[in-house]
Amino acid sequence: MGEEMNLEAPGEAKEGNESQNGRCCECLWTPIDWIKMLATEMHWTFVFGVVVVYGISQGLGGALVRVGTEYYMKDVQKVQPSESQVYSGITSIPWIVKPVWGLLTDVLPIFGYRRHPYFILAGFLGVISMLVLSLHQNLHLALAVMSLTARNAGVAIADVTIDACIAQNSISHPSLASDMQSLCSVSAAIGALVGYSISGILVHLIGPQGVYGLMTIPSGLVLLVGMLLNEPQISDFDYKQVNRKFSDARKAMWTTLKVPIVWRCCLYMYLSLALSLSIHEGLFYWYTDSEAGPAFSQETVGYILSIGPVGTILAAILYQNSLKDYPFHNVLFWAQLLSGLSGILDLMLVLRLNLALGIPDFAAVVIDEGVSKLVGQMKWMPLLVLSSRLCPPGIEGTFFALLMSIDNCGLLSSSWLGGLLLHVLKVTRTRFDKLWLAIIIRNILRVAPLCVIFLVPRGDPDSSFLPAEVTSTEEASSAQEPENIELVALVDSVDEGL
């Protein structure tokens, strides 16, 4: 019996190894097969467009520009952290006017085309703005802020335009709508993870202006998407309809905003974001200070920020699998409370309590970054779902963009109020003795929105929040025939290979 067992053991081990290898190969090929399926069903260059806009332009490019801009403002322009906070808010203004870009792409064709001219415009803005920043060594601060704002305008326009293409493909391929959203999220998360991981290394090797020079590549790819886009040209378009469509959309949005449950939710979303003061620039200057702070290098800062996308992905998985069916009121209550409590980690770090507990600075910051991004995404996701449930039929895209603009106004207010707080407490490039007080005030204000949590409806995500008169009116008003838009293939026979 012993000999038989010894003879059989190697075979069993071999079969086990083969089974394990098979499972690994299956895990590897499953996402590849999924990408091929999407490319086959909706044309492979549509997948290319989504990856470029979400993965390369917003994910990877956004990460590199964020880290590059922090060092550019600190080391090249030599501004104070409170000023950098304000300039960061100014450069985000193009995202606030996102509904304008959405309306333009929907109702104002250029030379008879609705989509690809806006991709070309977005790519052109990005290339020119990044070249200006990278080639001028002594660029005036105002021109630098204008260039960064122009870059964000290009990214926002490309985002709105690809969203329109996704919406159209969701109509023609309704069974793949969730797959397209998953492709967007995965592309953005992977791009951000890679971007933050290499951002510090690139800033160290070529400087922030060198990073800006590299950012012409993502913008150039957006320009390429616009050049490849193939859509039927609208002949004899009556431009007199533009004013009427703008007026109709404005009236429909105002009618919906006057619904009590809508404006109450909008008010809560704004307060929730605005009162969560952003003092990131003050913390960044402290992280990199050689005397008061831990003096993190560029590479270390990049590695720390790369933990953020991991926390975001974990939050998305947790919400999708465990919390998506809970009422918005309950999820937002706990997310808001945890948001305030998570700020204690920043306080421990600035007061150096982590060293007293035997926790190195790097480990403490990594934990802080991961937890803060996880909690922040846990608060953001139910707000996104709630926003989608408040959109009336017929103007879903435009009204959702309006709600996102309200959220972006909250983020802008958060950035400017945080900059004001740093200025009042005299937190400068070299003075951080009151930074701990700024953190305490921020943490208290993060919990303050719980006082108005009653503005959020107690219904679950499957509930209908809009009154019947709004939905019925909007449904009847604007049913449009979806346009047949696809990106031109780079190689004619590519579909056969797939």
Side-chain angles (χ1 to χ4, degrees):
M1 287 294 293
E3 293 178 356
E4 291 178 1
M5 291 179 64
N6 290 334
L7 290 172
E8 292 174 0
E12 293 176 357
K14 183 177 180 180
E15 290 177 1
N17 290 334
E18 291 178 353
S19 177
Q20 185 176 1
N21 292 335
R23 286 193 296 269
C24 292
C25 292
E26 183 179 355
C27 293
L28 178 64
W29 284 106
T30 296
I32 297 177
D33 292 338
W34 178 62
I35 295 290
K36 286 184 176 181
M37 181 272 294
L38 291 176
T40 303
E41 292 292 332
M42 293 174 294
H43 208 283
W44 73 273
T45 45
F46 169 76
V47 177
F48 169 72
V50 172
V51 171
V52 165
V53 174
Y54 275 96
I56 299 178
S57 178
Q58 293 188 39
L60 187 144
L64 292 177
V65 168
R66 176 186 172 184
V67 176
T69 300
E70 288 179 343
Y71 280 100
Y72 178 76
M73 290 295 179
K74 177 177 181 287
D75 299 333
V76 179
Q77 294 292 346
K78 298 186 183 303
V79 301
Q80 298 295 343
S82 58
E83 297 174 334
S84 181
Q85 196 82 45
V86 173
Y87 298 141
S88 175
I90 293 175
T91 59
S92 67
I93 288 178
W95 289 97
I96 296 177
V97 295
K98 191 174 177 181
V100 176
W101 315 131
L103 280 173
L104 289 174
T105 59
D106 286 337
V107 306
L108 185 62
I110 300 176
F111 300 114
Y113 296 98
R114 293 185 184 276
R115 308 302 183 198
H116 75 75
Y118 291 97
F119 276 125
I120 294 175
L121 173 62
F124 181 78
L125 284 173
V127 170
I128 296 300
S129 60
M130 291 295 97
L131 283 177
V132 169
L133 284 166
S134 63
L135 296 179
H136 289 74
Q137 295 299 322
N138 297 311
L139 189 64
H140 192 275
L141 178 60
L143 293 177
V145 173
M146 289 177 59
S147 297
L148 289 170
T149 304
R151 190 262 173 187
N152 278 341
V155 177
I157 293 171
D159 175 80
V160 169
T161 309
I162 196 64
D163 283 347
C165 295
I166 292 170
Q168 291 171 351
N169 277 309
S170 297
I171 295 174
S172 58
H173 301 81
S175 61
L176 298 178
S178 60
D179 293 271
M180 284 183 273
Q181 294 298 328
S182 297
L183 177 64
C184 296
S185 300
V186 170
S187 299
I190 294 177
L193 182 61
V194 174
Y196 282 125
S197 298
I198 64 175
S199 59
I201 299 174
L202 291 176
V203 170
H204 177 74
L205 293 177
I206 60 179
Q209 290 179 276
V211 171
Y212 288 147
L214 288 178
M215 286 303 95
T216 58
I217 298 176
S219 299
L221 289 175
V222 173
L223 186 64
L224 179 62
V225 172
M227 295 172 63
L228 297 176
L229 189 68
N230 181 30
E231 58 176 325
Q233 186 176 16
I234 303 172
S235 58
D236 300 326
F237 179 78
D238 185 6
Y239 282 91
K240 295 180 181 178
Q241 297 179 5
V242 174
N243 290 333
R244 179 182 60 82
K245 290 183 177 180
F246 269 108
S247 179
D248 291 344
R250 179 182 58 82
K251 292 177 181 178
M253 287 190 291
W254 178 244
T255 300
T256 306
L257 281 174
K258 289 191 297 183
V259 176
I261 194 171
V262 175
W263 68 258
R264 288 174 181 171
C265 290
C266 292
L267 178 59
Y268 175 80
M269 288 189 287
Y270 173 78
L271 292 175
S272 174
L273 295 170
L275 292 178
S276 181
L277 302 190
S278 174
I279 54 173
H280 172 77
E281 299 302 327
L283 290 171
F284 170 73
Y285 278 56
W286 181 80
Y287 288 156
T288 55
D289 189 78
S290 58
E291 296 182 4
F296 289 142
S297 64
Q298 290 99 329
E299 296 90 340
T300 303
V301 170
Y303 295 146
I304 291 171
L305 292 177
S306 68
I307 302 299
V310 177
T312 299
I313 294 173
L314 291 176
I317 295 173
L318 178 61
Y319 183 81
Q320 178 69 22
N321 294 328
S322 304
L323 301 175
K324 66 178 182 179
D325 296 325
Y326 283 86
F328 294 116
H329 184 279
N330 296 355
V331 177
L332 288 173
F333 175 86
W334 289 107
Q336 197 72 52
L337 182 61
L338 290 175
S339 177
L341 295 177
S342 64
I344 296 176
L345 297 174
D346 285 329
L347 185 63
M348 292 178 58
L349 186 65
V350 170
L351 294 178
R352 317 303 279 157
L353 297 179
N354 60 295
L355 297 179
L357 297 174
I359 304 175
D361 288 330
F362 179 77
V365 175
V366 165
I367 295 172
D368 181 21
E369 180 71 15
V371 171
S372 62
K373 287 297 184 292
L374 187 147
V375 174
Q377 186 70 8
M378 289 300 300
K379 186 177 72 172
W380 180 246
M381 291 194 69
L383 289 178
L384 284 177
V385 179
L386 178 60
S387 297
S388 66
R389 299 295 297 157
L390 296 176
C391 296
I395 56 168
E396 300 96 334
T398 304
F399 197 80
F400 186 80
L402 174 64
L403 294 177
M404 292 301 98
S405 294
I406 294 174
D407 290 346
N408 286 323
C409 284
L411 294 174
L412 176 62
S413 301
S414 169
S415 180
W416 285 355
L417 290 174
L420 178 62
L421 178 63
L422 293 175
H423 177 73
V424 169
L425 296 179
K426 295 181 172 55
V427 176
T428 66
R429 295 169 52 85
T430 57
R431 183 178 176 184
F432 306 97
D433 53 310
K434 293 293 183 63
L435 183 58
W436 65 271
L437 182 56
I439 294 174
I440 291 178
I441 294 174
R442 181 203 63 181
N443 293 348
I444 294 174
L445 290 177
R446 277 184 176 181
V447 183
L450 292 178
C451 299
V452 292
I453 192 70
F454 63 88
L455 296 172
V456 179
R458 294 184 176 272
D460 58 62
D462 294 328
S463 303
S464 178
F465 299 110
L466 294 177
E469 57 268 20
V470 174
T471 57
S472 59
T473 301
E474 299 301 335
E475 256 176 10
S477 64
S478 59
Q480 291 183 344
E481 192 71 25
E483 301 163 12
N484 184 18
I485 294 181
E486 65 178 12
L487 295 175
V488 176
L490 295 174
V491 183
D492 292 338
S493 60
V494 71
D495 286 333
E496 298 177 2
L498 295 174

